[in-house]
Amino acid sequence: MLCEVTTVYSAARKALEDCFTACGGRFVGLFSGKPSSLTAYSCDTAALREVGILDISAGEARSLCPIVAFDGLFLKCDAPDTCLRERVFPLQDDESLLLARWVEAGKGDTVLEIGTGAGAAALRVARAGADRVVATDVNPRVRDFFTFNAELNGVADRVEYFQCDVYSELAGERFDVIISN
């Protein structure tokens, strides 16, 4: 008998899935940082609070970061008003999401994503079956976002992150697929 372990991240992912299904077009607005009625979320808001996505007080909830729903993934990223030099992507309708949608990697492939940001492409190919995915970025803030998103999307066991310029920390590594925007 297969037993699924429920973690704080899997509970948060389930809550986001429930909210996305129930709220449809209102999902983006609910995770924009503006206060909304707690009842508007239609999900287990306690799980979202526990992982640091929602702040809840006086019957209202406010997202602490944007959450982008993309191709079966949920991605924590920066708000559009974050300084461009420090911003962790993707944003809604960003070209990084377009690239992530088109990239393909097969089961068993090893993949490198250069300039991963929030990890849309890296996490998508990991979920699709790539054996090993390595992501790099020079932005020191990316590590926390990427790690969070990997846990939230259940692929942390197949991805690695290196803060470096392009692939400077990966001497001697070989990859079947290299992704870069």
Side-chain angles (χ1 to χ4, degrees):
M1 179 174 181
L2 185 61
C3 179
E4 182 178 324
V5 176
T6 302
T7 67
V8 65
Y9 289 102
S10 61
R13 177 172 175 74
K14 173 76 169 90
L16 288 169
E17 288 169 351
D18 292 348
C19 187
F20 186 75
T21 300
C23 298
R26 294 182 302 124
F27 184 86
V28 172
L30 289 172
F31 292 94
S32 67
K34 297 176 185 142
S36 296
S37 165
L38 192 55
T39 59
Y41 286 85
S42 305
C43 67
D44 177 5
T45 54
L48 299 178
R49 183 180 190 178
E50 191 171 349
V51 295
I53 292 175
L54 286 183
D55 178 44
I56 301 171
S57 100
E60 287 191 327
R62 181 182 64 83
S63 66
L64 299 172
C65 56
I67 299 292
V68 174
F70 166 70
D71 199 26
L73 298 171
F74 292 101
L75 303 167
K76 174 182 169 181
C77 58
D78 269 330
D81 61 351
T82 304
C83 170
L84 184 60
R85 182 178 293 174
E86 296 176 6
R87 190 178 304 156
V88 176
F89 290 91
L91 303 173
Q92 288 296 106
D93 301 320
D94 184 74
E95 66 273 1
S96 62
L97 296 180
L98 182 61
L99 171 68
R101 182 163 310 200
W102 286 350
V103 71
E104 291 183 17
K107 292 197 183 302
D109 282 348
T110 57
V111 179
L112 168 64
E113 183 184 19
I114 299 168
T116 195
L123 300 176
R124 185 175 168 276
V125 296
R127 195 189 69 219
D131 273 1
R132 179 174 178 242
V133 180
V134 175
T136 68
D137 205 298
V138 295
N139 183 342
R141 297 181 63 241
V142 166
R143 178 181 304 279
D144 290 337
F145 285 82
F146 184 83
T147 303
F148 180 92
N149 290 337
E151 289 286 351
L152 182 64
N153 289 286
V155 296
D157 61 330
R158 289 191 309 275
V159 298
E160 297 174 72
Y161 175 79
F162 293 88
Q163 182 188 338
C164 65
D165 187 18
V166 187
Y167 52 82
S168 61
E169 299 294 318
L170 305 173
E173 296 265 4
R174 298 185 62 91
F175 299 94
D176 300 304
V177 177
I178 298 176
I179 307 163
S180 181
N181 185 8

